[in-house]
Amino acid sequence: MVEVGQLLAEGKGKRIYATDDPRKAVVYFKDEAMAFHGLKRGRILGKGEVNNAVSRQFFQLLKKNGIENHYLEQIDSRQSLVWRAEMIPVEVKVRNRAAGSLSRRIGLSTGTVLEPPVLELFLKDDYLENPMVNISHILAMKLATKAEMDEICRTALRVNDIITAYMKEIGVEVIDFKLEFGRFEGRILVADEISPDTARFWDVRTHEPLDIDRFRRDLGNVEQAYQELLHRMMGMDDATEGDGGNA
Ligand code: UDP
């Protein structure tokens, strides 16, 4: 059993703790929700449990498809054990339809299909409110190498193909999502989380959001939407078989 140590980082929806093994960390998923760079705050009951389970499901699905990631095993309903990667401070967003900041920035109405998918990079810096950057900014700031960025962008698009196909089976369309990557023992891993806090998931039939947009936009039934997503995903079987190591 792993010993949980000091708090390493706290974000909008998670806390990361050190463990007695320097190669591993614990992710604790909170119910607290935040939007608009902290201007809107609240609580979504049961969100931590949903995000822990959903994130686990996605990371195991990625592993089965040969995409290396930080996930190791679930500890309890709100906590998971992960590799302690050195995080690259870049947010990678993949978009299949226009929504949110993209619609505002380039004037495409919400729901416009983006084919091929759009890939965007943002500097992870709360003080600067996460500005959009391109690869040359990232190289000049020495945040990652060209080879790392090529791998990260390629991987993000593969993740899109994998999770889009998977969610389609349960009547959910992946509109967009955000990924973060880390370095671990010479490899690049998908890290952080993949959950309704970091993605837009629409019901295929009604186009109703099953994600954090219900909280951001005061659409109501926020808890129910998180539970609905969880139930649909848990109804699917094969990505959940056993935890096992990810090394
Ligand atoms: N996103 C995220 N963390 C952020 C900002 C956005 O996980 O700090 C996710 C968001 O939930 C959506 C995708 O990234 O699934 C694209 O977000 P967008 O740029 O449209 O920003 P938003 O308008 O959602 O703030």
Side-chain angles (χ1 to χ4, degrees):
M1 196 42 213
V2 71
E3 285 284 322
V4 177
Q6 67 172 124
L7 181 68
L8 295 173
E10 178 153 11
K12 285 189 273 194
K14 300 188 296 299
R15 292 189 204 106
I16 316 291
Y17 293 95
T19 70
D20 52 351
D21 181 341
R23 298 166 76 225
K24 296 175 182 172
V26 167
V27 181
Y28 174 93
F29 287 87
K30 306 188 284 188
D31 279 356
E32 279 75 31
M34 217 191 268
F36 311 120
H37 300 286
L39 288 178
K40 179 169 181 173
R41 287 163 194 265
R43 203 150 195 274
I44 301 172
L45 279 182
K47 174 169 83 68
E49 291 170 0
V50 172
N51 286 355
N52 192 31
V54 166
S55 221
R56 168 179 184 261
Q57 186 94 332
F58 279 129
F59 281 129
Q60 291 188 331
L61 175 72
L62 295 185
K63 183 185 167 193
K64 274 183 56 171
N65 283 275
I67 305 236
E68 294 206 87
N69 63 75
H70 74 161
Y71 197 83
L72 287 170
E73 63 185 279
Q74 186 165 338
I75 296 173
D76 60 30
S77 64
R78 282 176 184 269
Q79 302 187 90
S80 286
L81 192 66
V82 299
W83 290 124
R84 189 171 164 180
E86 176 204 345
M87 295 303 291
I88 296 170
V90 172
E91 294 192 340
V92 182
K93 293 179 186 173
V94 181
R95 303 175 180 272
N96 298 303
R97 287 185 189 257
S101 67
L102 179 74
S103 300
R104 292 191 292 276
R105 190 176 346 112
I106 62 173
L108 287 179
S109 58
T110 299
T112 306
V113 172
L114 304 168
E115 178 51 49
V118 169
L119 188 141
E120 297 174 334
L121 304 168
F122 297 81
L123 192 61
K124 197 169 161 64
D125 185 321
D126 284 339
Y127 182 72
L128 297 175
E129 297 189 347
N130 297 350
M132 191 171 177
V133 291
N134 62 32
I135 290 180
S136 69
H137 295 114
I138 292 169
L139 301 185
M141 293 171 82
K142 314 281 184 231
L143 300 177
T145 65
K146 176 79 170 60
E148 285 174 332
M149 288 314 299
D150 287 347
E151 183 177 345
I152 285 171
C153 294
R154 213 174 36 242
T155 302
L157 292 173
R158 277 192 65 209
V159 170
N160 187 41
D161 291 341
I162 294 164
I163 70 171
T164 295
Y166 178 78
M167 296 303 269
K168 197 172 166 203
E169 296 287 315
I170 53 168
V172 175
E173 185 174 337
V174 177
I175 304 304
D176 59 31
F177 61 92
K178 183 264 300 177
L179 295 179
E180 294 181 31
F181 292 81
R183 299 182 188 95
F184 183 77
E185 298 181 346
R187 292 174 285 152
I188 295 284
L189 306 183
V190 182
D192 195 56
E193 70 183 284
I194 307 173
S195 78
D197 272 16
T198 60
R200 287 190 171 91
F201 297 125
W202 288 2
D203 179 89
V204 164
R205 206 169 41 82
T206 63
H207 281 189
E208 277 292 316
L210 298 169
D211 58 60
I212 190 83
D213 258 355
R214 299 206 76 84
F215 166 79
R216 289 195 191 103
R217 295 162 50 205
D218 292 322
L219 298 176
N221 294 329
V222 186
E223 277 88 4
Q224 290 88 332
Y226 275 73
Q227 295 298 333
E228 167 71 20
L229 186 78
L230 177 68
H231 286 142
R232 289 198 202 182
M233 288 184 73
M234 293 306 129
M236 293 194 73
D237 43 318
D238 53 351
T240 55
E241 289 161 14
D243 271 327
N246 199 29

